Amino acid sequence: MTMKGEILLDVKNLNIGFRTRQGYVNAVEKVDFSLMRGELLAFVGESGCGKSVTSLAVMGLIERPARVKADRIELLGVDMVSCTQEEIRKKRGAEMAMIFQDPLTSLNPLFTVGNQLSEQFMAHIPSCTKNDARERGIAIMRKMGIPRAEAVFGSFPHELSGGMRQRIMIAIAMCCSPALLIADEPTTALDVTIQAQILRLMRELMSEFGTSILFITHDLGVVAEMADRVIVMYTGQIVEEADVFTMFKDPRHPYTKGLLQSTIRVQDAEDRLTPIQGAVPSLGRLPGGCRFNPRCGYATGRCSETMPDLVEVGPGHYSRCLLAVEGVF
Ligand code: SF4
């Protein structure tokens, strides 16, 4: 078992490719990151930048013909690259779990939430009986702040509100107190009040169970409130990484700066937002040099010729920008 400050998840040189009309394209390229025990690491970026697919690769949920290659995907000291599918299946639920974006489509509409909760306990605890699973299920639902847990246990997903369904999803994910919880836009479909409750609940789970969270979002307000560290992704590459204070105070990549400028803040709510021009390019038609150069207001001639490396620009602060490396940006 790892203690706080130890590396829980270590990913090295992760590449994910998909077959398209243009041949295999890399949706994720040379991604390295680690997650510490008890840490909340946020992945941010626009849709299609590789955040969700990175987390699915960690969970071992990407199947052929997609290609997943990595030097290392190490969880709790075990490299999952060399594990069999069966070994990874046993880790899912027990050591790592995932909360998906939309709880209505993630829960099985044909089974009660109680069935879906009990299944988790019975799959991972060999001695667990049906009655035992029911008691454990109701207990974890109470822990997730679900009122009338015994009645809700027998309900079908469509009978519950969005916030309640998301709590059920978190309860299912937390059944075996996994060391790693991946939350993929867990509050996107919820109104702000319920969103605040769910985020508070996740923070409580971190302190109670020592769970580390890999949090995927495009909502920088949530990042500011929740994250310890932030990774910004663009077209399948990490373009900036820093602790959350540094990222907000001193972004060193024009894409991160663009994301921050397009987010509303209370102190300048009257100002106009500045959107990032253009759109994320198709992975089969990536521009030469720095991939952000067609959208970057700071681009120079060199930017379309030279692909920048991810370089440390401050303690624990990395940027993939030619100008940041030279201290100009
Ligand atoms: Fe912009 Fe050039 Fe930096 Fe890329 S390398 S982010 S185009 S300034």
Side-chain angles (χ1 to χ4, degrees):
M1 189 172 164
T2 53
M3 304 296 289
K4 186 161 184 168
E6 285 182 77
I7 293 176
L8 176 85
L9 174 70
D10 191 22
V11 175
K12 183 88 185 146
N13 196 20
L14 174 65
N15 295 273
I16 305 169
F18 291 99
R19 198 204 302 264
T20 68
R21 285 202 192 118
Q22 290 94 27
Y24 265 97
V25 295
N26 271 345
V28 168
E29 205 174 290
K30 296 181 185 165
V31 161
D32 298 342
F33 68 94
S34 55
L35 175 67
M36 312 303 279
R37 184 78 176 178
E39 183 182 43
L40 195 148
L41 172 63
F43 270 76
V44 300
E46 293 161 284
S47 298
C49 285
K51 311 178 302 288
S52 295
V53 86
T54 297
S55 64
L56 290 171
V58 170
M59 292 293 292
L61 289 174
I62 298 181
E63 295 187 340
R64 287 173 182 275
R67 287 184 192 154
V68 178
K69 288 190 176 166
D71 291 350
R72 186 167 65 233
I73 304 178
E74 199 172 283
L75 177 67
L76 290 163
V78 175
D79 190 355
M80 294 190 285
V81 171
S82 48
C83 286
T84 63
Q85 277 303 315
E86 181 57 18
E87 286 167 336
I88 294 177
R89 193 188 64 75
K90 283 184 181 157
K91 287 180 179 293
R92 281 198 291 268
E95 293 177 8
M96 57 181 178
M98 187 158 179
I99 308 168
F100 296 92
Q101 277 187 31
D102 181 358
L104 188 57
T105 50
S106 304
L107 290 166
N108 190 328
L110 300 178
F111 293 94
T112 64
V113 295
N115 283 138
Q116 296 178 62
L117 266 166
S118 301
E119 192 183 19
Q120 283 295 312
F121 291 114
M122 294 174 78
H124 293 287
I125 307 170
S127 60
C128 188
T129 62
K130 223 172 167 185
N131 279 345
D132 199 11
R134 178 185 161 79
E135 274 172 32
R136 287 172 186 260
I138 290 170
I140 195 143
M141 284 166 71
R142 288 203 180 107
K143 201 163 253 172
M144 298 303 138
I146 295 169
R148 302 179 300 105
E150 291 193 13
V152 174
F153 191 84
S155 304
F156 286 91
H158 72 271
E159 297 176 301
L160 306 174
S161 68
M164 198 79 100
R165 284 194 291 259
Q166 195 57 291
R167 281 171 196 267
I168 297 289
M169 285 296 294
I170 299 174
I172 291 173
M174 294 306 295
C175 275
C176 300
S177 314
L180 169 65
L181 180 64
I182 298 178
D184 187 358
E185 309 256 14
T187 55
T188 303
L190 305 175
D191 64 54
V192 285
T193 323
I194 305 297
Q195 174 175 307
Q197 290 173 8
I198 297 289
L199 295 178
R200 195 177 322 122
L201 175 63
M202 292 179 73
R203 267 283 171 208
E204 285 166 12
L205 293 175
M206 285 181 76
S207 54
E208 187 173 346
F209 295 98
T211 309
S212 306
I213 299 182
L214 211 155
F215 198 96
I216 297 161
T217 183
H218 58 259
D219 185 336
L220 289 170
V222 171
V223 172
E225 192 178 319
M226 295 284 289
D228 298 306
R229 210 151 46 87
V230 188
I231 284 178
V232 182
M233 288 191 79
Y234 187 71
T235 60
Q237 295 179 320
I238 293 177
V239 295
E240 188 161 8
E241 176 177 348
D243 67 81
V244 69
F245 299 106
T246 307
M247 189 70 86
F248 278 79
K249 198 162 156 262
D250 183 26
R252 298 287 300 278
H253 194 285
Y255 181 55
T256 313
K257 197 170 175 190
L259 290 175
L260 291 169
Q261 284 176 339
S262 51
T263 304
I264 197 154
R265 296 184 307 171
V266 173
Q267 61 266 39
D268 41 37
E270 309 241 314
D271 294 348
R272 294 180 78 87
L273 294 176
T274 313
I276 303 172
Q277 299 302 320
V280 178
S282 151
L283 291 170
R285 293 195 185 86
L286 292 172
C290 171
R291 291 177 179 176
F292 189 56
N293 86 75
R295 306 176 71 190
C296 181
Y298 302 86
T300 65
R302 284 182 306 144
C303 298
S304 55
E305 290 158 12
T306 311
M307 162 81 79
D309 291 323
L310 189 67
V311 173
E312 190 164 20
V313 291
H317 189 174
Y318 299 84
S319 171
R320 189 185 293 277
C321 170
L322 297 171
L323 300 190
V325 170
E326 291 164 6
V328 180
F329 184 84

